[in-house]
Amino acid sequence: MDDFHYNDGALYCENIPASDIARSAGTPCYVYSATTLRQHYTRLRDAFAPLNPLICYSVKCCSNLAILRLLTELGAGMDVVSGGEIFRSCCAGGDPKTFVYAGVGKSESEIRLALERGVGLFNIESEMEFEHVARIAREMNIRTRAALRVNPDVDPKTHRYTTTGKRESKFGVDLERAVAFFRAYGHDPFVALCGIHLHIGSPVYTTGPYVESVQKALALIDELAVEGFRIDTLDLGGGFGADYESDQSPLASQYAAAIVPILQERVARGLRIILEPGRSIAANAGILLTRVEYIKKSGDRNFVICDAGMNTLLRPSHYGAFHFVWPVQPGVALTPPRRARELILPGLERTEVVGPLCETGDFLAEDRLLPPLRRGDLVAVFTAGAYGMAMASRYNSHPLPTEVLIDGASMRVIRAREQYEDLVQHERDSF
Ligand code: LLP
């Protein structure tokens, strides 16, 4: 699952004790394992090897330059959704020809940047957007390629905020409109409409919704072929799960076992497959380290107040997401045997793990059985590598946390801790 493990009652990332990392980098701190990142990428690549896909890492989930560079060096392309993501992916050495560019609200300046840099594929989300991209491409005299994002109306059985492929979602165009879309735009001289894009949701813990949506996409590709439109690219999007609890998610090989057989023959006939994984690569490759500032009781509840909160990791508060939380140095007797919602170990206490912000919704873990914690203890929040730092904010004017990358016995600070000056550097109080 990952390279964070307890050894003699203390948490390690690869070969480095988490307490050493906190001592040198401070808290709150996001810690990533380079070995886990590599392993997750290569497992996915190997599992889907029969389709020889282009694997475009979903930058939005964890966009630090060092992580983008690590994945670029392994051969990943990038799934980008903004000018900022195009910019940072280029800074990290990515080749724009291997970028796919999605997003429902691409602005004129973002489209110009994507065309200038030569982004490989635009994933188009609406009729109006296609016309806009085609007009700008004509003006700039640049030719590009595009896929139509279709909405297969499949239920991925995940949180409603991250369900994206159902009819009522704001993404893509309804399947029934797809043929008309190609009739209207499939002969544009500047934007070659040559692909179909899907992304049904995130995380998707079963393979059925993928199978259903791929089958719908293949039926559409056949229907389009009858009308003379040749589709050479099928982008399946992302959404593969991660282990917030031990063994929660199917393995890359299990997703592949369901998806590869449906596509293998198409690939042999020339269809190019793209995948856009984010969470399945980065989530288990990162933890958040936070320090206990105070302990207090309110009514019957036992609050542990940490230096990280919803400003540092928004997922628990925003989605009600479960993240396994455990002390960094619980001792041998309280080493967690696995990551689960409730562990049965001696002496645990019902605990609310909360942050410093002025909001009741500011929590990391609610009503958990945890070893007793004291002021100054370090706590790890697991499976925080995806949509952790990427969604962090400066709410309550807390500077953004630091990020470190561990590789074996080496540790690199890949984002310096922000200082108070950083909070105000773009603000002006005199006119
Ligand atoms: N492709 C597209 C078009 C997407 O919209 C997304 C994620 C991905 C790929 C990557 O999905 P992944 O493999 O990471 O599941 N903030 C939420 C997740 C939002 C996902 C947005 N789109 C969370 O913390 O759970």
Side-chain angles (χ1 to χ4, degrees):
M1 172 168 63
D2 57 53
D3 291 84
F4 298 94
H5 54 271
Y6 283 88
N7 199 350
D8 265 344
L11 180 66
Y12 282 68
C13 175
E14 305 206 15
N15 300 335
I16 307 190
S19 54
D20 288 1
I21 299 170
R23 196 171 310 119
S24 87
T27 55
C29 170
Y30 276 97
V31 182
Y32 306 104
S33 157
T35 304
T36 310
L37 286 165
R38 283 190 206 104
Q39 201 175 63
H40 287 175
Y41 175 81
T42 52
R43 278 192 193 152
L44 203 66
R45 185 194 59 196
D46 295 350
F48 282 91
L51 302 180
N52 190 25
L54 173 64
I55 300 182
C56 293
Y57 170 68
S58 197
V59 173
K60 66 175 81 64
C61 86
C62 184
S63 53
N64 186 288
L65 289 180
I67 288 174
L68 301 186
R69 188 170 289 280
L70 180 151
L71 291 164
T72 297
E73 284 169 2
L74 288 175
M78 297 290 147
D79 156 37
V80 295
V81 290
S82 67
E85 288 191 353
I86 294 170
F87 177 78
R88 62 167 60 246
S89 301
C90 289
C91 291
D95 174 359
K97 285 199 291 297
T98 64
F99 297 176
V100 293
Y101 178 24
V104 286
K106 300 176 185 80
S107 71
E108 170 131 5
S109 64
E110 289 177 314
I111 294 167
R112 285 183 181 275
L113 177 69
L115 288 167
E116 267 161 28
R117 298 277 175 130
V119 160
L121 190 73
F122 278 77
N123 284 331
I124 301 285
E125 307 252 7
S126 67
E127 288 83 353
M128 206 186 267
E129 183 195 321
F130 186 93
E131 290 178 11
H132 200 48
V133 173
R135 176 185 61 76
I136 297 168
R138 190 175 321 118
E139 266 174 38
M140 294 174 71
N141 196 23
I142 292 176
R143 276 161 227 278
T144 192
R145 284 163 50 86
L148 172 63
R149 179 166 180 177
V150 295
N151 204 329
D153 197 26
V154 167
D155 185 357
K157 306 214 163 40
T158 193
H159 195 284
R160 93 183 162 86
Y161 290 179
T162 55
T163 293
T164 45
K166 289 192 61 190
R167 193 185 299 279
E168 59 269 29
S169 102
K170 72 173 175 179
F171 299 98
V173 306
D174 294 342
L175 206 51
E176 306 82 74
R177 284 219 312 274
V179 172
F181 194 109
F182 274 80
R183 282 183 197 140
Y185 304 115
H187 300 288
D188 191 275
F190 286 89
V191 183
L193 198 53
C194 55
I196 298 294
H197 177 224
L198 304 165
H199 173 74
I200 53 176
S202 166
V204 185
Y205 282 113
T206 52
T207 54
Y210 284 103
V211 171
E212 199 185 327
S213 58
V214 169
Q215 278 164 343
K216 288 187 177 182
L218 292 178
L220 171 63
I221 289 174
D222 291 341
E223 205 182 330
L224 288 168
V226 172
E227 299 225 6
F229 297 107
R230 191 178 120 69
I231 300 302
D232 62 22
T233 302
L234 175 59
D235 180 343
L236 304 184
F240 299 150
D243 285 335
Y244 291 90
E245 296 181 67
S246 295
D247 307 321
Q248 179 182 11
S249 177
L251 303 171
S253 56
Q254 290 168 315
Y255 286 109
I259 297 169
V260 167
I262 328 173
L263 289 171
Q264 219 161 355
E265 185 252 345
R266 303 281 183 146
V267 168
R269 285 198 276 139
L271 187 66
R272 179 91 166 110
I273 303 297
I274 298 176
L275 301 175
E276 302 173 350
R279 188 190 313 267
S280 55
I281 291 177
N284 282 99
I287 62 168
L288 168 63
L289 288 179
T290 176
R291 202 173 280 281
V292 175
E293 295 282 7
Y294 299 104
I295 308 281
K296 76 186 259 187
K297 285 223 180 285
S298 284
D300 291 337
R301 298 169 89 199
N302 179 29
F303 285 92
V304 167
I305 302 163
C306 297
D307 62 6
M310 64 188 282
N311 54 321
T312 333
L313 179 67
L314 183 61
R315 304 192 71 259
S317 152
H318 189 57
Y319 307 111
F322 171 84
H323 284 260
F324 184 71
V325 165
W326 207 256
V328 163
Q329 291 175 300
V332 175
L334 291 173
T335 292
R338 60 200 316 275
R339 299 179 200 159
R341 282 176 193 257
E342 295 240 311
L343 291 176
I344 311 297
L345 291 169
L348 303 187
E349 293 175 353
R350 292 233 159 255
T351 308
E352 313 294 326
V353 184
V354 303
L357 303 196
C358 301
E359 294 231 12
T360 303
D362 174 29
F363 56 82
L364 297 172
E366 287 188 292
D367 194 21
R368 289 292 168 79
L369 277 173
L370 287 181
L373 284 159
R374 290 182 315 252
R375 174 171 162 76
D377 282 353
L378 282 169
V379 171
V381 184
F382 290 82
T383 324
Y387 307 107
M389 183 63 175
M391 292 170 77
S393 77
R394 301 183 181 87
Y395 187 37
N396 281 203
S397 288
H398 287 285
L400 288 176
T402 188
E403 292 175 289
V404 302
L405 182 64
I406 307 296
D407 197 354
S410 93
M411 167 177 151
R412 268 197 300 148
V413 174
I414 57 171
R415 183 186 167 99
R417 183 174 303 286
E418 282 191 351
Q419 303 300 313
Y420 291 136
E421 290 72 21
D422 295 315
L423 296 177
V424 294
Q425 65 165 327
H426 296 296
E427 299 176 25
R428 305 286 178 264
D429 61 357
S430 58
F431 300 95

